[in-house]
Amino acid sequence: MNARLIAYWSQLHGSYWFIPSLMTLGAVGLAFVTTALDTRLGADWIEAVPWLYANKPDGARALLSTVAGSMITVAGVTFSITISTVVYASSQLGPRLLTTFMQDRGNQITLGTFIATFLYCLLVLRTVRSSDEGGFVPHLALLVGLALALASLGVLIYFIHHTPASMHVSNLTARIGRDLNDHLDRLFPEQLGEAAPPEEEPPLPPAFFEEALRIRAREDGYIQALDADVLLAAATEHDVVLRAEFRPGDYVTRGQALVLAAPAGRLSDEACQRLHAAFAFGPQRTGTQDVLFRVNELVEIAARALSPGVNDPFTAIGCMDWLASAIGQLGTRAIPAAGRRDAEGRLRVVAYPVTFAVFVGAVCDQLRPYVRHDRNAALHFVKMLAEAAGGLADDGRRAVLLRHGRRLLDDCRAVSMPPQDLDELEARVQILAHLAQPGVDTEALAVRHRWLGGSA
């Protein structure tokens, strides 16, 4: 799919108007269909149903007016509650979480239900005619309106429960953590065997950088999507090698080189335009192809929880639990190769995926300055690394986790953590070192099980 279409679909998915707009259009169509059926059926059918009764024009107008007025009032109240919730959560947990609330399907469907019911009743109301106007009461449309009113009442009850539940920090971190794991499943679907393939850049042709044409960005912003298939097809068609300088999530300034292409003389202006169109830009990072976007959200919640003004290590621990799950999941997946080749095996595109070391660094390097000042968070930080290391078969990836555990220990020593807490942290790092040994055996796994029974 084209990168711009991917980015546009992501914007629609995160918009607060798309689902309500579809539901509103559905309500318009339903109003025309039900009133057309009423015109064909007439009013005799309702007399044959004993538990239904026919409405007079005045009663039909009163009913529709009451439902429509109630729905638009409730819609305004729910919108106000939603905005208040978003403002509170953004100020307490971080402004980047606004995207998560905007993508909440429950809020979108709630707003859409009330507006659709209001518009449906309004459109049906205009078809009601008194006896001096020809006399017409859309009985079927009235029954559908009542059903929509009852459904709206159920949605309101759901919304009253959903709003405080969605603000609960445990539910919020769980939602972000599941999104992160789903994202890893989509971007890294291949399971590893015994060892990970080398995460190295393939050799470029001689004098590549001297001969390469620089295709420069024409706008500022974050790369929201990248169509790698377009790059590969263009490179194969024009017999060039492309090197993508940025990946989704990176910020690009106008004039920076997006892609290097060699040999330079083989690309026309049209081909350069095509390569530039493979990148979609936007004013903010999104989770469409940016695997670190959800990581940063969890890290931000944990960092705010560990700030002196909040001092809530247990929220940070909850975030680390989900990050440990993501690290363990990525540790068992094959990272896509940096080089992509054509059908004949020739190198065509060099792009830089998020490697295991980069992913773990994004988690640990951002958390460490906050974790080192809190005993509970520091102990759980090392436990997070051990949780992940115990499930990995690759020695190199376990070594990455051990390196970050030792860095935290050094930082805790530098900030003069109390000796007793420092001794406990050192003991946990030693267990992590045992788990990270090459060819870890069943005895090490037994140590891991004893670890999991510990505190913090």
Side-chain angles (χ1 to χ4, degrees):
M1 185 183 294
N2 183 272
R4 298 183 186 275
L5 291 179
I6 295 173
Y8 184 67
W9 175 251
S10 176
Q11 292 174 6
L12 286 181
H13 177 73
S15 67
Y16 209 62
W17 57 266
F18 182 61
I19 296 297
S21 297
L22 291 180
M23 296 178 71
T24 299
L25 292 176
V28 173
L30 182 62
F32 281 108
V33 168
T34 53
T35 52
L37 287 175
D38 272 307
T39 302
R40 293 178 63 91
L41 295 175
D44 295 337
W45 67 271
I46 199 170
E47 303 292 345
V49 183
W51 49 275
L52 294 178
Y53 62 93
N55 286 277
K56 300 299 182 180
D58 291 341
R61 288 195 181 103
L63 176 63
L64 292 171
S65 299
T66 301
V67 174
S70 301
M71 289 303 105
I72 198 63
T73 302
V74 174
V77 173
T78 56
F79 182 74
S80 300
I81 294 174
T82 301
I83 294 301
S84 300
T85 303
V86 168
V87 171
Y88 171 80
S90 299
S91 61
Q92 294 295 315
L93 302 175
R96 269 156 293 280
L97 296 177
L98 179 61
T99 302
T100 301
F101 283 97
M102 293 285 288
Q103 293 176 348
D104 192 313
R105 282 285 180 263
N107 292 339
Q108 295 175 2
I109 292 175
T110 297
L111 182 62
T113 300
F114 295 146
I115 294 179
T117 303
F118 163 76
L119 186 58
Y120 173 86
C121 293
L122 203 63
L123 291 175
V124 173
L125 179 63
R126 59 182 291 275
T127 66
V128 179
R129 297 189 297 272
S130 56
S131 56
D132 57 343
E133 296 173 332
F136 177 72
V137 177
H139 297 289
L140 177 61
L142 286 175
L143 290 176
V144 174
L146 282 174
L148 289 177
L150 293 175
S152 298
L153 181 60
V155 170
L156 178 61
I157 295 172
Y158 160 78
F159 178 77
I160 294 172
H161 163 77
H162 176 73
T163 299
S166 64
M167 291 176 60
H168 196 291
V169 68
S170 297
N171 294 333
L172 183 59
T173 54
R175 178 180 176 181
I176 298 173
R178 292 191 187 99
D179 286 346
L180 175 58
N181 287 332
D182 292 343
H183 198 60
L184 293 175
D185 276 336
R186 188 171 69 253
L187 294 182
F188 306 97
E190 185 178 351
Q191 295 284 347
L192 281 178
E194 291 298 322
E199 298 167 353
E200 299 176 355
E201 177 183 347
L204 292 167
F208 175 84
F209 293 98
E210 291 78 7
E211 300 177 357
L213 170 68
R214 286 160 173 77
I215 300 173
R216 303 185 181 278
R218 301 171 186 173
E219 54 186 311
D220 303 318
Y222 291 95
I223 297 179
Q224 295 183 339
L226 168 60
D227 194 336
D229 292 335
V230 169
L231 296 182
L232 180 61
T236 303
E237 178 182 347
H238 296 280
D239 192 21
V240 296
V241 177
L242 303 177
R243 184 176 185 263
E245 297 297 290
F246 298 93
R247 60 185 171 213
D250 291 340
Y251 183 83
V252 179
T253 303
R254 183 180 306 177
Q256 284 187 295
L258 282 175
V259 179
L260 303 183
R266 297 178 182 176
L267 290 176
S268 63
D269 292 341
E270 181 181 354
C272 293
Q273 175 68 26
R274 181 182 174 190
L275 293 176
H276 188 276
F279 295 82
F281 296 88
Q284 61 187 13
R285 296 176 67 171
T286 65
T288 307
Q289 293 182 353
D290 182 7
V291 71
L292 300 180
F293 178 74
R294 300 299 182 193
V295 170
N296 290 342
E297 287 188 324
L298 288 173
V299 169
E300 182 175 9
I301 295 174
R304 285 173 175 262
L306 293 173
S307 63
V310 178
N311 194 22
D312 179 16
F314 297 103
T315 292
I317 286 172
C319 294
M320 284 189 275
D321 286 336
W322 286 103
L323 290 169
S325 173
I327 292 173
Q329 182 172 335
L330 182 61
T332 61
R333 304 301 175 93
I335 305 299
R340 295 189 62 178
R341 302 179 182 274
D342 59 16
E344 299 178 1
R346 292 178 293 184
L347 180 66
R348 289 303 183 189
V349 178
V350 177
Y352 299 100
V354 175
T355 64
F356 181 77
V358 170
F359 185 88
V360 176
V363 173
C364 298
D365 289 338
Q366 294 185 98
L367 276 177
R368 196 169 56 249
Y370 306 95
V371 167
R372 64 182 181 177
H373 295 288
D374 187 280
R375 177 257 182 198
N376 294 329
L379 292 176
H380 201 84
F381 183 96
V382 183
K383 180 181 177 181
M384 170 186 74
L385 300 178
E387 286 269 6
L392 302 185
D394 184 75
D395 295 339
R397 293 184 176 182
R398 290 201 304 268
V400 170
L401 300 177
L402 176 59
R403 183 166 62 248
H404 284 284
R406 287 173 171 166
R407 286 178 181 175
L408 175 64
L409 180 59
D410 292 338
D411 283 3
C412 290
R413 287 171 178 159
V415 298
S416 301
M417 177 179 282
Q420 182 178 356
D421 296 338
L422 195 59
D423 290 343
E424 188 173 357
L425 185 63
E426 288 177 347
R428 295 203 169 197
V429 173
Q430 289 176 2
I431 297 176
L432 175 60
H434 185 56
L435 290 170
Q437 288 178 357
V440 62
D441 55 17
T442 55
E443 181 182 358
L445 295 179
V447 171
R448 174 174 178 263
H449 287 304
R450 291 197 296 274
W451 169 290
L452 296 178
S455 61

